[in-house]
Amino acid sequence: MRALIAGAGRLGAQIAQVLAAARNDVTLVDVDEDRIAELEGRLSVRLLAGDACEPAFLEHAGALTADLVIATTGKDEDNLVISLLAKRRFAVPRVAARVNDAENAWLFDRNWGVDTAVPAATPLISLIEEATGATDTVALLRLSKAGVDVIETTITARSRSAGRTLVEIPLPEGAVIATVIRDGQPTVPAPEMRLRPGDELLVVSHAATEQEIHTAFQ
């Protein structure tokens, strides 16, 4: 999914981080050049400085090919303009906007291009779920908040685990293979399953580090 987020404040940055972690193509923009510079190197997303209320900049940021636009600036008027441009000018399939002032909530509807209006007090998890419909992303976020990590690793021809069955691979303590994605389809990880190059594993762990999981399989 291609997501364009306007507003790189705390909320916008958190949403960008979560969507990027779920392997979405994310662009985060903000009119404040200093804020964008501050986030450089901290987020693995495309960062751009500019005014998302300007059609030319919004197009430059990727609105023409975006699947989702989320307006999270601190100004309701800006969020409405961004939403209207996204929906009417660029035909973005899904548009969500943050409502900063509850008295303005009645404006945030389809007339202004808003598919999902999100009150400022809405928890981050609910906001992402409402804006994207990505319940799998939300589930991963909830696990992370509970102190459980979901670590992904991909088997290649050079991986030590390629050609071995799952039961033959010693896992770090506290780690469990949740699923094996093969040919784009999630598969129940039976002990006798033999790993192939291209297999993607999702490992749930409350103790093992990403490096320990990588060492076990790679």
Side-chain angles (χ1 to χ4, degrees):
M1 178 178 67
R2 293 186 179 92
L4 171 57
I5 302 169
R10 183 178 60 84
L11 180 63
Q14 287 179 334
I15 295 172
Q17 186 175 21
V18 172
L19 293 182
R23 301 174 66 183
N24 295 291
D25 182 353
V26 180
T27 298
L28 179 62
V29 306
D30 198 281
V31 71
D32 187 343
E33 294 183 3
D34 291 337
R35 176 58 177 166
I36 291 297
E38 180 185 341
L39 293 173
E40 290 284 355
R42 292 173 51 188
L43 297 177
S44 55
V45 304
R46 182 186 181 209
L47 294 166
L48 292 174
D51 188 353
C53 292
E54 295 290 337
F57 176 75
L58 207 56
E59 180 174 349
H60 170 65
L64 281 171
T65 57
D67 302 300
L68 167 70
V69 165
I70 306 178
T72 65
T73 80
K75 297 180 179 180
D76 284 344
E77 58 269 32
D78 288 354
N79 290 342
L80 287 171
V81 170
I82 293 165
S83 298
L84 188 62
L85 287 172
K87 183 65 69 175
R88 299 290 175 83
R89 180 153 184 165
F90 300 107
V92 176
R94 191 165 183 83
V95 177
R98 179 185 185 182
V99 183
N100 295 283
D101 186 341
E103 293 185 0
N104 296 329
W106 65 276
L107 289 166
F108 286 72
D109 60 15
R110 298 293 176 87
N111 293 321
W112 278 93
V114 179
D115 296 308
T116 302
V118 186
T122 302
L124 176 65
I125 290 175
S126 298
L127 187 153
I128 295 172
E129 188 170 30
E130 290 179 26
T132 68
T135 53
D136 53 345
T137 299
V138 175
L140 294 182
L141 181 61
R142 284 195 175 114
L143 284 173
S144 177
K145 284 181 174 287
V148 179
D149 291 324
V150 179
I151 302 168
E152 179 183 12
T153 187
T154 301
I155 307 303
T156 69
R158 296 184 178 182
S159 300
R160 70 173 71 188
S161 57
R164 300 174 66 185
T165 61
L166 294 179
V167 74
E168 295 175 317
I169 301 170
L171 288 176
E173 185 177 353
V176 177
I177 301 173
T179 189
V180 176
I181 302 173
R182 176 171 292 173
D183 298 327
Q185 298 296 324
T187 305
V188 177
E192 64 275 10
M193 184 179 190
R194 196 172 298 277
L195 294 177
R196 306 174 187 168
D199 286 347
E200 297 177 61
L201 283 71
L202 293 181
V203 181
V204 178
S205 171
H206 62 79
T209 65
E210 186 173 354
Q211 182 57 48
E212 288 174 324
I213 297 298
H214 179 85
T215 300
F217 291 96
Q218 306 299 335

